[in-house]
Amino acid sequence: MNIREQYELLEEKILSPLATKSKDTMGRLKPEEKCSIRTDFQRDRDRIIHSKAFRRLKHKTQVFIAPEGDHYRTRLTHTLEVSQIARTISRALRLNEDLTEAIALGHDLGHTPFGHTGEKVLDKISKNGFKHYEQSLRVVDFLERGTGLNLTYEVRNGILCHSGDLIADTNEGKVVKLADKIAYINHDIDDAIRAGILSFDDLPKECIKVLGKGHSDRINTMITSVINYALKFGEISLTGEIGQATWELREFMFKNVYIGSKAKTEEEKAVKMLETLYYYYINNIHKLPNEFKNKIDVWGEERVVCDFIAGMTDRYAINEFVNIYVPMPWGRIF
């Protein structure tokens, strides 16, 4: 019995009946030989961490566009916070922590430059539409490495279902969906206060009374509520008084930070920039990198241009725009 098989046997002994066991995976899109050391979900996690798409998250917007302050969250730090919260819940419930972590680390791989602003732009101007959670699945299925990462069904399903109305097939996927919300509600409050957009006194007092005054207090309250509900009812949910306070706080953030606040003062510029880049490449398809041009016959021009732009970091998009449309001083040309 090799190390992987020993660990799979250990999972049978220690994981909850609510957990997804590694040996019970529904498999990969393309069959491949199993690792002698790592379970399938461990391999998925490692493939995501070592991907270029994962590394690019460090230069993609969370809320504040191309932030220069060292302490503002980016899409990468958001991802790590989601992973930490999701792992805490999964460990307490004896779910499969490797599966949870793989889903959490991969959930935002398809996010555009400038966060949800970029997502809205591509969704509006592309006839195919655009959703970041669908693009995240597209990254791991097709785009990364040029052929995809060939992840297991459970990880792919969790990535696809982490946002919107879709519900994951696994409890680990459901945990990540809640952890995503717990993470961004709280860390975006922290960033908004740091940026001077909010003060602590602006936060809804009834919500704070229920959830706690401090950043870690609120996260702990939400996590504990999810764990206690799951232990009692066998379902992954954030309900009751704490759930209501959480969703009210989330609504407050949409009204006061995510829409129309000082955090969005540069949004119109980002919209114009991405629209301009999109139509530039549609009209100059030969300017695309070869790895994208080679896929036009398979996916079509619009899909390939969306893939290229969605993969850009904030600073890469800005540099592309400058290189294409901003004239360089004569002395810099030669």
Side-chain angles (χ1 to χ4, degrees), residues 113-114 125 270-283 305 308-309 312 316-322 324-325:
F114 312 121
I125 64 180
V271 169
K272 184 64 176 177
M273 180 184 298
L274 291 183
E275 287 178 344
T276 303
L277 286 174
Y278 177 86
Y279 288 116
Y280 172 82
Y281 284 109
I282 286 291
N283 293 319
V305 170
F308 180 48
I309 292 178
M312 294 179 177
Y316 185 89
I318 292 170
N319 287 339
E320 280 292 279
F321 183 86
V322 168
I324 295 170
Y325 289 105

Side-chain angles (χ1 to χ4, degrees), residues 17-213:
L18 298 174
T20 306
K21 313 300 192 299
S22 299
K23 71 177 186 60
D24 295 331
T25 176
M26 293 177 64
R28 305 181 184 279
L29 293 175
K30 293 173 284 189
E32 58 183 67
E33 185 176 350
K34 289 184 178 291
C35 178
S36 62
I37 299 173
R38 297 167 296 165
T39 68
D40 285 348
F41 299 148
Q42 286 177 299
R43 293 182 83 186
D44 285 359
R45 176 202 59 204
D46 294 351
R47 289 177 184 184
I48 290 168
I49 287 177
H50 290 287
S51 69
K52 292 187 295 183
F54 184 77
R55 294 196 293 275
R56 289 198 299 268
L57 294 177
K58 67 180 177 179
H59 293 302
K60 291 196 177 191
T61 290
Q62 175 60 25
V63 173
F64 296 90
I65 289 177
E68 293 188 351
D70 291 339
H71 297 138
Y72 290 108
R73 271 74 171 187
T74 64
R75 191 60 59 176
L76 178 60
T77 54
H78 160 73
T79 294
L80 296 177
E81 292 187 35
V82 172
S83 177
Q84 176 268 317
I85 291 170
R87 287 181 59 191
T88 298
I89 295 171
S90 284
R91 182 174 295 187
L93 298 177
R94 291 186 294 119
L95 299 178
N96 194 314
E97 206 171 328
D98 294 324
L99 172 56
T100 302
E101 186 177 22
I103 296 169
L105 293 175
H107 82 280
D108 270 353
L109 292 179
H111 243 302
T112 59
F114 312 121
H116 289 286
T117 298
E119 179 179 21
K120 292 174 184 175
V121 170
L122 293 182
D123 190 45
K124 177 182 177 182
I125 64 180
S126 172
K127 68 180 181 182
N128 299 310
F130 187 93
K131 296 290 185 290
H132 80 273
Y133 47 90
E134 294 175 350
Q135 189 68 14
S136 293
L137 182 62
R138 189 167 168 76
V139 168
V140 300
D141 278 357
F142 304 113
L143 301 179
E144 187 65 30
R145 299 181 183 172
T147 57
L149 298 178
N150 196 31
L151 304 183
T152 58
Y153 169 82
E154 292 78 11
V155 174
R156 295 172 58 249
N157 174 260
I159 288 173
L160 178 64
C161 298
H162 85 268
S163 185
D165 297 329
L166 298 173
I167 300 174
D169 291 342
T170 65
N171 284 315
E172 290 83 0
K174 294 171 185 175
V175 165
V176 171
K177 188 169 188 174
L178 273 181
D180 185 30
K181 293 178 173 60
I182 292 172
Y184 74 66
I185 290 170
N186 287 286
H187 65 49
D188 290 350
I189 289 174
D190 191 34
D191 280 358
I193 291 174
R194 177 176 292 107
I197 293 171
L198 295 176
S199 71
F200 176 78
D201 292 336
D202 293 327
L203 300 177
K205 291 180 174 55
E206 288 302 313
C207 295
I208 298 306
K209 182 179 178 181
V210 172
L211 300 172
K213 293 182 179 180

